[in-house]
Amino acid sequence: MTFHTSQPRSSPSSRSKGEQIALNVDGACADETSTYSSKLMDKQTFCSSQTTSNTSRYAAALYRQGELHLTPLHGILQLRPSFSYLDKADAKHREREAANEAGDSSQDEAEDDVKQITVRFSRPESEQARQRRVQSYEFLQKKHAEEAWVHLHYYGLKDSRSEHERQYLLCPGSSGVENTELVKSPSEYLLMLMPPSQEEEKDKPVAPSNVLSMAQLRTLPLADQIKILMKNVKVMPFANLMSLLGPSIDSVAVLRGIQKVAMLVQGNWVVKSDILYPKDSSSPHSGVPAEVLCRGRDFVMWKFTQSRWVVRKEVATVTKLCAEDVKDFLEHMAVVRINKGWEFILPYDGEFIKKHPDVVQRQHMLWTGIQAKLEKVYNLVKETMPKKPDAQSGPAGLVSGDQRIQVAKTKAQQNHALLERELQRRKEQLRAPAVPPGVRIKEEPVSEEGEDDDDEEEPMDTSPSGGLHSRLANGLPPGRAVGTDSFNGHPPPGCASAPVARELRAFVEATFQRQFVLTLSELKRLFNLHLASLPPGHTLFSGISDRMLQDTVLAAGCKQILVPFPPQTAASPDEQKVFALWESGDMSDQHRQVLLEIFSKNYRVRRNMIQSRLTQECGEDLSKQEVDKVLKDCCVSYGGMWYLKGTVQS
């Protein structure tokens, strides 16, 4: 934007200077193209320039009668004098000099000199060339010069028109109507007046979203530092994590934090699947929801706890995921080897395994629970699955003392199982004539050397198939009737010390308050997860047997529901032992007890049968919401039928 202003007043000396400037610019002959038609420099040119691109931080202030009135600005222009007439005067001077030189040399040249003229035709202009020409400085200057002048009238500061326009800068007085824009706190009003500037953010180079400087990282809480590092690195030894966090960080706090966001695989930490795939996300390749992706990635992680190598086709066959998703899982934690498969990316960290046995034990329990869930979801054949993770046994070629002890224990258990089956076979032969047809008898294994079972207990088997050799029949201790409801709030003598019994009782009561019906297999899985969340050295790490766990369940006001499973069921013995909270002290106890009695005679039931039985036992005023609540607490629906939780086999 360019402005011309007139110079009305002039002294004699300034007038002579103005005439000289006009003569230098336009020459002696004045015409329509002259800059100063009056042969006097009687006007000044000002060119505007934009001072800032963001004017939201500025306001025009007007102080009147003790009030400060602020008006936001939407644009700021700065006017500077233009001296383009000097360039025009220089051009005129060069033209006169060139004309004088040409006049002197023309006298020596012949007038009829013939010169050759070359005619060239311009080629058609391409679109790209045209755009470059339009955006060039020369073209823009030409367009600016061709712009027509708009004549404006200037009003001085004391003019009445200026005073009238100045009134718009004043806020009108209060007229009884509250201005909601001003009913704000000082901080909100200041934020409206001066919003955060985005100009500086635009000037900064855009960095990738996963890049964070170490200085910024160390300003965050420790848990966030660990989560960000593991989410970006995905696989890391514990020593490397400590070096990144700094020497002043407590290793015990880091151990607590890392177990919340990562899992232990071959002595190294691998970020959890739900950290990489949040709940509401999906696969960018196939659109599969995050829950399915987490399950597939957990399977890959679990396979690496069993072996150094994983075959991609096997993972794709089991998880039924697309090749791109499986490749992403493997690239997070492994490297491909030609003609071999995918190898875990880091070597086995035996030093961490030896230094932190408590952490290794909790992680092993977590993996046991995950393994049981994977077996159920993917219908894995238990006989074909590895019996123990060889990844935790040390590098290839080295056999530790713990591994030798474990091998010896395995052989002893196998021999004991063979002897136990042989003894059972002989017993059946001896008592076969005395047993009426159609009657099944469950026997307890005979203890060696005549010891009582209450004096020495077998530790709880946390493996998915551990119920196959359980020493308990239907989850009840030997010699106890099925109808026993409670042990007066205390576990049987000799089972555990008082602190262990209290902790176990608290866990069982809290668990059944949340989930009213649980199988023994699911209860053991939840107990393993509870152990993994406890600090090192907790009393529950002293060893809890199947008998202690089931006795505590019965002592906590629960009952075992003898669900008549079909003969062809694929449920394991632990999955066939169903426990339910019998009395919780709320209004739903009667409804739940009627429902549990129904399932003690039926494996699956239709809703109309449950509705009619509840109405018959509890009265006609039973609402649909109450029926829905008891069904939601205790049952699951599958194929139009209702099952107790944990009993349906999909």
Side-chain angles (χ1 to χ4, degrees):
M1 187 180 295
T2 307
F3 295 89
H4 281 335
T5 60
S6 59
Q7 304 287 339
R9 293 178 297 177
S10 60
S11 61
S13 60
S14 62
R15 182 177 182 82
S16 62
K17 290 182 179 179
E19 291 175 351
Q20 183 63 41
I21 292 175
L23 180 63
N24 294 337
V25 173
D26 297 326
C29 300
D31 52 15
E32 296 179 355
T33 61
S34 300
T35 303
Y36 303 109
S37 57
S38 61
K39 297 183 180 182
L40 178 67
M41 183 183 176
D42 55 355
K43 57 186 178 182
Q44 180 75 31
T45 303
F46 291 87
C47 291
S48 65
S49 61
Q50 192 173 5
T51 58
T52 178
S53 59
N54 183 13
T55 59
S56 60
R57 301 171 61 88
Y58 299 93
L62 188 62
Y63 186 78
R64 178 170 293 185
Q65 297 180 359
E67 297 177 347
L68 181 64
H69 300 260
L70 300 177
T71 303
L73 300 179
H74 299 286
I76 301 176
L77 296 178
Q78 183 179 16
L79 293 177
R80 294 180 179 179
S82 174
F83 301 99
S84 58
Y85 59 88
L86 297 179
D87 298 334
K88 192 173 181 180
D90 292 341
K92 289 283 186 181
H93 179 70
R94 287 194 296 269
E95 288 178 1
R96 286 193 294 268
E97 289 183 350
N100 293 334
E101 293 178 357
D104 296 340
S105 60
S106 61
Q107 297 177 359
D108 302 331
E109 295 178 356
E111 295 181 358
D112 56 349
D113 220 4
V114 179
K115 294 183 178 180
Q116 183 179 1
I117 300 175
T118 303
V119 179
R120 296 181 179 179
F121 296 93
S122 61
R123 64 181 62 183
E125 187 179 26
S126 63
E127 181 64 21
Q128 294 181 352
R130 190 190 69 81
Q131 291 183 359
R132 288 195 299 268
R133 180 177 59 82
V134 169
Q135 296 176 0
S136 64
Y137 177 78
E138 182 181 359
F139 182 82
L140 294 177
Q141 287 294 103
K142 182 178 179 182
K143 294 290 290 183
H144 178 72
E146 293 175 354
E147 185 179 357
W149 286 95
V150 178
H151 296 278
L152 300 176
H153 187 73
Y154 173 77
Y155 295 94
L157 181 64
K158 302 295 184 180
D159 193 270
S160 60
R161 181 64 182 269
S162 299
E163 182 64 26
H164 176 73
E165 293 293 333
R166 197 178 298 114
Q167 294 297 323
Y168 289 111
L169 299 179
L170 300 176
C171 180
S174 59
S175 58
V177 180
E178 185 179 12
N179 191 349
T180 57
E181 291 293 331
L182 296 180
V183 184
K184 295 183 181 297
S185 63
S187 58
E188 292 176 341
Y189 182 71
L190 185 61
L191 186 63
M192 290 177 57
L193 184 63
M194 299 180 63
S197 176
Q198 299 179 355
E199 184 177 359
E200 298 179 358
E201 298 180 0
K202 294 180 181 179
D203 295 339
K204 294 181 180 179
V206 180
S209 59
N210 62 341
V211 173
L212 188 68
S213 67
M214 293 303 298
Q216 293 173 325
L217 183 68
R218 289 176 178 173
T219 60
L220 302 176
L222 180 60
D224 293 340
Q225 295 184 43
I226 297 174
K227 183 177 180 180
I228 292 173
L229 286 173
M230 292 306 304
K231 187 175 181 180
N232 287 277
V233 181
K234 297 181 177 61
V235 184
M236 190 186 304
F238 186 75
N240 290 14
L241 178 63
M242 290 299 299
S243 64
L244 290 174
L245 295 175
S248 60
I249 304 298
D250 184 17
S251 61
V252 177
V254 177
L255 276 175
R256 292 198 193 100
I258 190 65
Q259 294 182 70
K260 297 179 181 178
V261 298
M263 297 290 293
L264 191 66
V265 178
Q266 300 187 26
N268 301 283
W269 291 98
V270 182
V271 64
K272 288 184 177 179
S273 302
D274 55 358
I275 301 296
L276 296 180
Y277 303 108
K279 186 175 181 181
D280 297 330
S281 63
S282 60
S283 168
H285 306 294
S286 59
V288 173
E291 181 182 359
V292 181
L293 292 177
C294 292
R295 196 161 55 217
R297 188 174 180 274
D298 286 345
F299 177 75
V300 175
M301 294 169 62
W302 173 79
K303 290 290 290 183
F304 276 119
T305 64
Q306 311 296 313
S307 174
R308 288 284 303 174
W309 300 88
V310 168
V311 180
R312 178 176 171 181
K313 290 184 178 179
E314 178 187 355
V315 176
T317 303
V318 173
T319 60
K320 303 295 189 297
L321 293 172
C322 69
E324 289 79 7
D325 289 332
V326 176
K327 185 179 179 182
D328 286 347
F329 300 158
L330 293 170
E331 287 179 343
H332 290 168
M333 64 193 82
V335 291
V336 64
R337 306 296 185 192
I338 299 175
N339 298 328
K340 289 185 178 181
W342 291 78
E343 184 184 12
F344 193 69
I345 194 170
L346 295 178
Y348 176 84
D349 192 352
E351 183 179 354
F352 180 84
I353 297 294
K354 296 177 182 178
K355 191 175 180 180
H356 304 282
D358 293 343
V359 176
V360 175
Q361 182 183 4
R362 287 198 298 273
Q363 289 293 311
H364 175 67
M365 292 177 179
L366 280 175
W367 278 120
T368 302
I370 293 175
Q371 176 182 343
K373 185 177 180 181
L374 293 175
E375 287 178 358
K376 195 169 184 179
V377 172
Y378 293 129
N379 296 323
L380 302 179
V381 181
K382 296 179 182 179
E383 288 77 6
T384 61
M385 299 183 67
K387 295 182 180 179
K388 65 175 183 176
D390 61 0
Q392 305 297 342
S393 60
L398 296 178
V399 181
S400 62
D402 294 338
Q403 186 177 1
R404 292 193 183 98
I405 295 174
Q406 186 65 27
V407 172
K409 285 183 178 180
T410 304
K411 291 182 179 179
Q413 291 176 359
Q414 292 175 354
N415 295 335
H416 177 72
L418 293 175
L419 294 174
E420 196 174 45
R421 286 197 296 269
E422 180 64 22
L423 180 61
Q424 186 72 15
R425 186 182 62 81
R426 292 182 181 180
K427 283 184 177 183
E428 291 176 355
Q429 291 177 354
L430 292 175
R431 68 168 182 262
V435 178
V439 178
R440 294 182 298 173
I441 298 178
K442 293 187 177 180
E443 287 282 334
E444 289 290 334
V446 179
S447 302
E448 296 182 5
E449 301 181 3
E451 293 179 352
D452 187 9
D453 290 340
D454 289 338
D455 296 334
E456 181 179 356
E457 295 181 353
E458 180 182 355
M460 182 176 68
D461 184 5
T462 57
S463 65
S465 59
L468 295 175
H469 302 290
S470 177
R471 303 176 63 187
L472 302 177
N474 290 330
L476 294 176
R480 270 190 207 284
V482 176
T484 303
D485 294 342
S486 175
F487 296 103
N488 296 324
H490 298 281
C495 283
S497 61
V500 175
R502 285 195 299 269
E503 291 289 338
L504 186 59
R505 177 71 176 265
F507 161 75
V508 169
E509 290 178 348
T511 302
F512 275 93
Q513 286 293 336
R514 294 191 303 268
Q515 304 185 37
F516 295 92
V517 178
L518 286 172
T519 62
L520 179 59
S521 175
E522 180 66 12
L523 181 62
K524 289 162 65 174
R525 187 185 72 84
L526 294 176
F527 183 67
N528 287 334
L529 294 176
H530 178 66
L531 286 179
S533 65
L534 297 177
H538 197 273
T539 57
L540 285 181
F541 285 108
S542 59
I544 305 297
S545 65
D546 281 2
R547 177 179 303 172
M548 293 166 56
L549 184 61
Q550 293 177 89
D551 286 352
T552 306
V553 171
L554 297 175
C558 301
K559 282 189 177 183
Q560 182 178 1
I561 310 302
L562 300 179
V563 180
F565 282 83
Q568 69 276 13
T569 181
S572 65
D574 281 355
E575 292 174 343
Q576 295 185 34
K577 296 176 183 178
V578 184
F579 297 91
L581 182 62
W582 193 255
E583 293 182 358
S584 62
D586 58 7
M587 299 297 294
S588 302
D589 283 349
Q590 183 183 3
H591 306 158
R592 186 167 56 255
Q593 291 170 9
V594 173
L595 181 68
L596 295 175
E597 288 178 357
I598 296 175
F599 280 101
S600 65
K601 301 176 182 179
N602 300 275
Y603 172 64
R604 56 183 181 178
V605 188
R606 293 189 180 275
R607 180 187 173 94
N608 55 2
M609 179 181 176
I610 299 174
Q611 181 87 32
S612 61
R613 182 66 182 276
L614 286 172
T615 303
Q616 180 183 355
E617 298 289 340
C618 304
E620 296 291 340
D621 56 346
L622 188 67
S623 63
K624 181 178 180 298
Q625 288 77 10
E626 292 174 328
V627 177
D628 292 340
K629 181 181 183 305
V630 71
L631 287 175
K632 181 180 178 182
D633 291 342
C634 305
C635 303
V636 292
S637 177
Y638 184 76
M641 304 293 290
W642 288 87
Y643 303 79
L644 278 184
K645 288 184 177 180
T647 61
V648 61
Q649 302 295 318
S650 57

Short mmCIF file of all heavy atoms in Angstrom, two decimals, residues 264-306:
data_model
loop_
_atom_site.label_atom_id
_atom_site.label_comp_id
_atom_site.label_asym_id
_atom_site.label_seq_id
_atom_site.Cartn_x
_atom_site.Cartn_y
_atom_site.Cartn_z
N LEU A 264 8.98 -59.81 31.14
CA LEU A 264 10.33 -60.36 31.11
C LEU A 264 10.39 -61.50 30.10
O LEU A 264 9.63 -62.48 30.21
CB LEU A 264 10.73 -60.85 32.49
CG LEU A 264 12.20 -61.23 32.69
CD1 LEU A 264 13.07 -59.99 32.55
CD2 LEU A 264 12.42 -61.86 34.05
N VAL A 265 11.27 -61.38 29.13
CA VAL A 265 11.47 -62.41 28.11
C VAL A 265 12.97 -62.64 27.98
O VAL A 265 13.71 -61.72 27.60
CB VAL A 265 10.87 -61.98 26.75
CG1 VAL A 265 11.13 -63.05 25.69
CG2 VAL A 265 9.38 -61.72 26.88
N GLN A 266 13.42 -63.85 28.33
CA GLN A 266 14.83 -64.22 28.23
C GLN A 266 15.72 -63.23 29.00
O GLN A 266 16.80 -62.86 28.55
CB GLN A 266 15.25 -64.32 26.77
CG GLN A 266 14.48 -65.34 25.97
CD GLN A 266 15.02 -65.56 24.59
OE1 GLN A 266 16.21 -65.34 24.35
NE2 GLN A 266 14.16 -66.01 23.67
N GLY A 267 15.25 -62.77 30.15
CA GLY A 267 16.03 -61.87 30.98
C GLY A 267 15.98 -60.42 30.55
O GLY A 267 16.57 -59.56 31.21
N ASN A 268 15.30 -60.12 29.44
CA ASN A 268 15.16 -58.75 28.95
C ASN A 268 13.70 -58.32 29.06
O ASN A 268 12.80 -59.15 29.17
CB ASN A 268 15.62 -58.66 27.49
CG ASN A 268 17.06 -59.10 27.31
OD1 ASN A 268 17.99 -58.36 27.61
ND2 ASN A 268 17.26 -60.32 26.82
N TRP A 269 13.49 -57.01 28.99
CA TRP A 269 12.15 -56.47 29.16
C TRP A 269 11.57 -56.08 27.80
O TRP A 269 12.20 -55.35 27.04
CB TRP A 269 12.17 -55.26 30.09
CG TRP A 269 12.49 -55.63 31.50
CD1 TRP A 269 13.70 -55.54 32.12
CD2 TRP A 269 11.60 -56.20 32.46
NE1 TRP A 269 13.62 -56.01 33.40
CE2 TRP A 269 12.34 -56.43 33.64
CE3 TRP A 269 10.26 -56.56 32.44
CZ2 TRP A 269 11.76 -56.97 34.78
CZ3 TRP A 269 9.68 -57.10 33.57
CH2 TRP A 269 10.43 -57.30 34.72
N VAL A 270 10.36 -56.57 27.52
CA VAL A 270 9.65 -56.29 26.28
C VAL A 270 8.37 -55.54 26.64
O VAL A 270 7.63 -55.96 27.54
CB VAL A 270 9.32 -57.58 25.51
CG1 VAL A 270 8.62 -57.25 24.19
CG2 VAL A 270 10.58 -58.39 25.25
N VAL A 271 8.10 -54.43 25.96
CA VAL A 271 6.94 -53.61 26.28
C VAL A 271 5.66 -54.41 26.10
O VAL A 271 5.54 -55.25 25.21
CB VAL A 271 6.92 -52.34 25.40
CG1 VAL A 271 6.75 -52.68 23.93
CG2 VAL A 271 5.84 -51.37 25.85
N LYS A 272 4.68 -54.16 26.98
CA LYS A 272 3.42 -54.88 26.93
C LYS A 272 2.63 -54.49 25.68
O LYS A 272 2.76 -53.39 25.14
CB LYS A 272 2.58 -54.58 28.18
CG LYS A 272 3.12 -55.22 29.44
CD LYS A 272 2.18 -54.96 30.62
CE LYS A 272 2.67 -55.65 31.88
NZ LYS A 272 1.80 -55.41 33.04
N SER A 273 1.79 -55.43 25.27
CA SER A 273 1.03 -55.21 24.03
C SER A 273 0.01 -54.09 24.17
O SER A 273 -0.22 -53.32 23.23
CB SER A 273 0.34 -56.51 23.61
OG SER A 273 1.27 -57.55 23.43
N ASP A 274 -0.63 -53.97 25.35
CA ASP A 274 -1.65 -52.94 25.50
C ASP A 274 -1.05 -51.53 25.54
O ASP A 274 -1.79 -50.55 25.41
CB ASP A 274 -2.49 -53.19 26.74
CG ASP A 274 -1.64 -53.31 28.00
OD1 ASP A 274 -0.40 -53.23 27.89
OD2 ASP A 274 -2.19 -53.49 29.10
N ILE A 275 0.25 -51.41 25.73
CA ILE A 275 0.89 -50.09 25.65
C ILE A 275 1.01 -49.67 24.18
O ILE A 275 0.79 -48.50 23.83
CB ILE A 275 2.28 -50.12 26.31
CG1 ILE A 275 2.16 -50.53 27.78
CG2 ILE A 275 2.97 -48.77 26.20
CD1 ILE A 275 1.39 -49.57 28.65
N LEU A 276 1.37 -50.61 23.31
CA LEU A 276 1.51 -50.30 21.89
C LEU A 276 0.16 -50.20 21.19
O LEU A 276 0.01 -49.45 20.22
CB LEU A 276 2.37 -51.36 21.20
CG LEU A 276 3.82 -51.48 21.66
CD1 LEU A 276 4.53 -52.57 20.88
CD2 LEU A 276 4.55 -50.17 21.48
N TYR A 277 -0.81 -50.99 21.66
CA TYR A 277 -2.13 -51.01 21.03
C TYR A 277 -3.17 -50.65 22.08
O TYR A 277 -3.71 -51.52 22.75
CB TYR A 277 -2.42 -52.39 20.44
CG TYR A 277 -1.39 -52.86 19.44
CD1 TYR A 277 -0.50 -53.87 19.75
CD2 TYR A 277 -1.30 -52.27 18.19
CE1 TYR A 277 0.45 -54.29 18.84
CE2 TYR A 277 -0.35 -52.68 17.27
CZ TYR A 277 0.53 -53.69 17.61
OH TYR A 277 1.48 -54.10 16.71
N PRO A 278 -3.48 -49.35 22.26
CA PRO A 278 -4.48 -48.94 23.26
C PRO A 278 -5.86 -49.52 22.93
O PRO A 278 -6.09 -50.08 21.87
CB PRO A 278 -4.47 -47.41 23.15
CG PRO A 278 -3.16 -47.07 22.52
CD PRO A 278 -2.82 -48.21 21.61
N LYS A 279 -6.77 -49.35 23.86
CA LYS A 279 -8.05 -50.04 23.81
C LYS A 279 -8.86 -49.70 22.57
O LYS A 279 -9.44 -50.58 21.93
CB LYS A 279 -8.85 -49.71 25.08
CG LYS A 279 -10.15 -50.47 25.20
CD LYS A 279 -10.82 -50.17 26.52
CE LYS A 279 -12.13 -50.97 26.66
NZ LYS A 279 -12.82 -50.69 27.94
N ASP A 280 -8.93 -48.44 22.19
CA ASP A 280 -9.80 -48.02 21.10
C ASP A 280 -9.08 -47.95 19.75
O ASP A 280 -9.64 -47.41 18.78
CB ASP A 280 -10.41 -46.65 21.41
CG ASP A 280 -11.29 -46.69 22.64
OD1 ASP A 280 -11.88 -47.76 22.88
OD2 ASP A 280 -11.38 -45.67 23.36
N SER A 281 -7.87 -48.47 19.66
CA SER A 281 -7.13 -48.41 18.40
C SER A 281 -7.41 -49.66 17.56
O SER A 281 -8.12 -50.57 17.99
CB SER A 281 -5.63 -48.28 18.68
OG SER A 281 -5.16 -49.42 19.37
N SER A 282 -6.82 -49.70 16.37
CA SER A 282 -6.99 -50.83 15.47
C SER A 282 -5.75 -50.95 14.60
O SER A 282 -4.90 -50.06 14.56
CB SER A 282 -8.24 -50.67 14.60
OG SER A 282 -8.16 -49.49 13.82
N SER A 283 -5.67 -52.06 13.86
CA SER A 283 -4.50 -52.31 13.02
C SER A 283 -4.52 -51.39 11.81
O SER A 283 -5.55 -51.27 11.14
CB SER A 283 -4.48 -53.77 12.57
OG SER A 283 -3.53 -53.97 11.56
N PRO A 284 -3.40 -50.73 11.47
CA PRO A 284 -3.37 -49.91 10.26
C PRO A 284 -3.38 -50.74 8.98
O PRO A 284 -3.64 -50.22 7.91
CB PRO A 284 -2.05 -49.12 10.40
CG PRO A 284 -1.19 -49.98 11.27
CD PRO A 284 -2.13 -50.69 12.21
N HIS A 285 -3.08 -52.03 9.10
CA HIS A 285 -3.03 -52.90 7.92
C HIS A 285 -4.37 -53.57 7.64
O HIS A 285 -4.85 -53.54 6.51
CB HIS A 285 -1.95 -53.97 8.10
CG HIS A 285 -0.60 -53.42 8.44
ND1 HIS A 285 0.13 -52.64 7.57
CD2 HIS A 285 0.15 -53.52 9.57
CE1 HIS A 285 1.28 -52.30 8.14
NE2 HIS A 285 1.31 -52.82 9.35
N SER A 286 -4.96 -54.18 8.68
CA SER A 286 -6.17 -54.97 8.47
C SER A 286 -7.39 -54.42 9.18
O SER A 286 -8.49 -54.94 8.97
CB SER A 286 -5.92 -56.41 8.95
OG SER A 286 -5.55 -56.42 10.33
N GLY A 287 -7.23 -53.42 10.05
CA GLY A 287 -8.37 -52.90 10.78
C GLY A 287 -8.82 -53.75 11.94
O GLY A 287 -9.88 -53.52 12.52
N VAL A 288 -8.01 -54.75 12.32
CA VAL A 288 -8.35 -55.63 13.43
C VAL A 288 -8.31 -54.83 14.73
O VAL A 288 -7.42 -54.00 14.93
CB VAL A 288 -7.36 -56.82 13.48
CG1 VAL A 288 -7.59 -57.67 14.71
CG2 VAL A 288 -7.52 -57.67 12.23
N PRO A 289 -9.28 -55.03 15.66
CA PRO A 289 -9.27 -54.26 16.90
C PRO A 289 -8.07 -54.56 17.77
O PRO A 289 -7.38 -55.58 17.61
CB PRO A 289 -10.58 -54.69 17.59
CG PRO A 289 -10.96 -55.98 16.96
CD PRO A 289 -10.45 -55.93 15.55
N ALA A 290 -7.82 -53.66 18.72
CA ALA A 290 -6.62 -53.74 19.56
C ALA A 290 -6.61 -54.99 20.41
O ALA A 290 -5.54 -55.56 20.67
CB ALA A 290 -6.52 -52.49 20.44
N GLU A 291 -7.77 -55.47 20.84
CA GLU A 291 -7.81 -56.66 21.70
C GLU A 291 -7.23 -57.88 20.98
O GLU A 291 -6.47 -58.66 21.55
CB GLU A 291 -9.25 -56.92 22.13
CG GLU A 291 -9.41 -58.12 23.04
CD GLU A 291 -10.86 -58.38 23.41
OE1 GLU A 291 -11.73 -57.60 22.95
OE2 GLU A 291 -11.13 -59.34 24.13
N VAL A 292 -7.58 -58.04 19.70
CA VAL A 292 -7.06 -59.17 18.93
C VAL A 292 -5.57 -59.01 18.67
O VAL A 292 -4.80 -59.98 18.72
CB VAL A 292 -7.85 -59.31 17.61
CG1 VAL A 292 -7.34 -60.49 16.79
CG2 VAL A 292 -9.34 -59.47 17.89
N LEU A 293 -5.14 -57.77 18.41
CA LEU A 293 -3.71 -57.53 18.18
C LEU A 293 -2.90 -57.84 19.44
O LEU A 293 -1.83 -58.45 19.36
CB LEU A 293 -3.49 -56.08 17.76
CG LEU A 293 -4.04 -55.67 16.39
CD1 LEU A 293 -3.80 -54.18 16.16
CD2 LEU A 293 -3.38 -56.46 15.27
N CYS A 294 -3.39 -57.42 20.60
CA CYS A 294 -2.68 -57.69 21.85
C CYS A 294 -2.57 -59.19 22.10
O CYS A 294 -1.53 -59.68 22.53
CB CYS A 294 -3.39 -57.01 23.02
SG CYS A 294 -3.30 -55.20 22.99
N ARG A 295 -3.65 -59.92 21.80
CA ARG A 295 -3.62 -61.36 22.01
C ARG A 295 -2.60 -62.02 21.09
O ARG A 295 -1.84 -62.91 21.50
CB ARG A 295 -5.01 -61.93 21.78
CG ARG A 295 -5.21 -63.33 22.31
CD ARG A 295 -6.68 -63.61 22.47
NE ARG A 295 -7.41 -63.40 21.21
CZ ARG A 295 -8.62 -62.88 21.15
NH1 ARG A 295 -9.24 -62.51 22.24
NH2 ARG A 295 -9.23 -62.73 19.98
N GLY A 296 -2.55 -61.59 19.81
CA GLY A 296 -1.57 -62.16 18.89
C GLY A 296 -0.14 -61.82 19.26
O GLY A 296 0.75 -62.66 19.17
N ARG A 297 0.10 -60.59 19.70
CA ARG A 297 1.45 -60.21 20.08
C ARG A 297 1.88 -60.92 21.36
O ARG A 297 3.05 -61.28 21.53
CB ARG A 297 1.54 -58.70 20.26
CG ARG A 297 2.96 -58.19 20.48
CD ARG A 297 3.01 -56.68 20.50
NE ARG A 297 4.36 -56.19 20.71
CZ ARG A 297 4.91 -56.01 21.90
NH1 ARG A 297 4.22 -56.29 22.99
NH2 ARG A 297 6.15 -55.56 22.00
N ASP A 298 0.93 -61.12 22.29
CA ASP A 298 1.25 -61.89 23.50
C ASP A 298 1.66 -63.31 23.15
O ASP A 298 2.54 -63.89 23.81
CB ASP A 298 0.04 -61.91 24.44
CG ASP A 298 -0.18 -60.58 25.14
OD1 ASP A 298 0.74 -59.74 25.11
OD2 ASP A 298 -1.27 -60.36 25.69
N PHE A 299 1.04 -63.88 22.12
CA PHE A 299 1.42 -65.23 21.69
C PHE A 299 2.86 -65.24 21.19
O PHE A 299 3.63 -66.17 21.48
CB PHE A 299 0.46 -65.72 20.61
CG PHE A 299 0.81 -67.06 20.05
CD1 PHE A 299 0.57 -68.22 20.77
CD2 PHE A 299 1.41 -67.17 18.80
CE1 PHE A 299 0.90 -69.46 20.26
CE2 PHE A 299 1.74 -68.41 18.28
CZ PHE A 299 1.49 -69.56 19.01
N VAL A 300 3.24 -64.21 20.43
CA VAL A 300 4.63 -64.13 19.93
C VAL A 300 5.60 -63.98 21.10
O VAL A 300 6.65 -64.65 21.16
CB VAL A 300 4.76 -62.96 18.94
CG1 VAL A 300 6.21 -62.79 18.51
CG2 VAL A 300 3.89 -63.20 17.72
N MET A 301 5.27 -63.11 22.06
CA MET A 301 6.14 -62.94 23.22
C MET A 301 6.26 -64.25 24.01
O MET A 301 7.34 -64.62 24.46
CB MET A 301 5.59 -61.82 24.12
CG MET A 301 5.64 -60.44 23.50
SD MET A 301 4.71 -59.21 24.44
CE MET A 301 5.60 -59.22 25.98
N TRP A 302 5.12 -64.94 24.18
CA TRP A 302 5.15 -66.19 24.93
C TRP A 302 6.00 -67.24 24.20
O TRP A 302 6.72 -68.00 24.84
CB TRP A 302 3.73 -66.70 25.12
CG TRP A 302 3.68 -68.06 25.73
CD1 TRP A 302 3.83 -68.38 27.04
CD2 TRP A 302 3.50 -69.30 25.03
NE1 TRP A 302 3.75 -69.73 27.21
CE2 TRP A 302 3.55 -70.33 25.99
CE3 TRP A 302 3.31 -69.63 23.69
CZ2 TRP A 302 3.40 -71.66 25.65
CZ3 TRP A 302 3.17 -70.96 23.35
CH2 TRP A 302 3.21 -71.95 24.33
N LYS A 303 5.94 -67.26 22.87
CA LYS A 303 6.77 -68.21 22.11
C LYS A 303 8.25 -67.94 22.34
O LYS A 303 9.06 -68.87 22.41
CB LYS A 303 6.44 -68.12 20.62
CG LYS A 303 5.08 -68.67 20.23
CD LYS A 303 5.00 -70.17 20.36
CE LYS A 303 5.84 -70.88 19.32
NZ LYS A 303 5.70 -72.35 19.40
N PHE A 304 8.62 -66.68 22.49
CA PHE A 304 10.03 -66.36 22.74
C PHE A 304 10.44 -66.70 24.17
O PHE A 304 11.64 -66.80 24.44
CB PHE A 304 10.29 -64.89 22.45
CG PHE A 304 10.55 -64.59 20.99
CD1 PHE A 304 9.72 -63.75 20.27
CD2 PHE A 304 11.62 -65.19 20.33
CE1 PHE A 304 9.95 -63.49 18.94
CE2 PHE A 304 11.86 -64.93 18.98
CZ PHE A 304 11.01 -64.08 18.29
N THR A 305 9.49 -66.85 25.08
CA THR A 305 9.87 -67.36 26.40
C THR A 305 10.16 -68.85 26.36
O THR A 305 10.76 -69.40 27.28
CB THR A 305 8.76 -67.10 27.43
OG1 THR A 305 7.58 -67.83 27.05
CG2 THR A 305 8.44 -65.62 27.52
N GLN A 306 9.74 -69.52 25.29
CA GLN A 306 9.96 -70.95 25.15
C GLN A 306 11.19 -71.28 24.31
O GLN A 306 11.79 -72.33 24.47
CB GLN A 306 8.73 -71.62 24.49
CG GLN A 306 7.40 -71.24 25.13
CD GLN A 306 7.28 -71.70 26.55
OE1 GLN A 306 7.60 -72.83 26.88
NE2 GLN A 306 6.84 -70.81 27.42
#
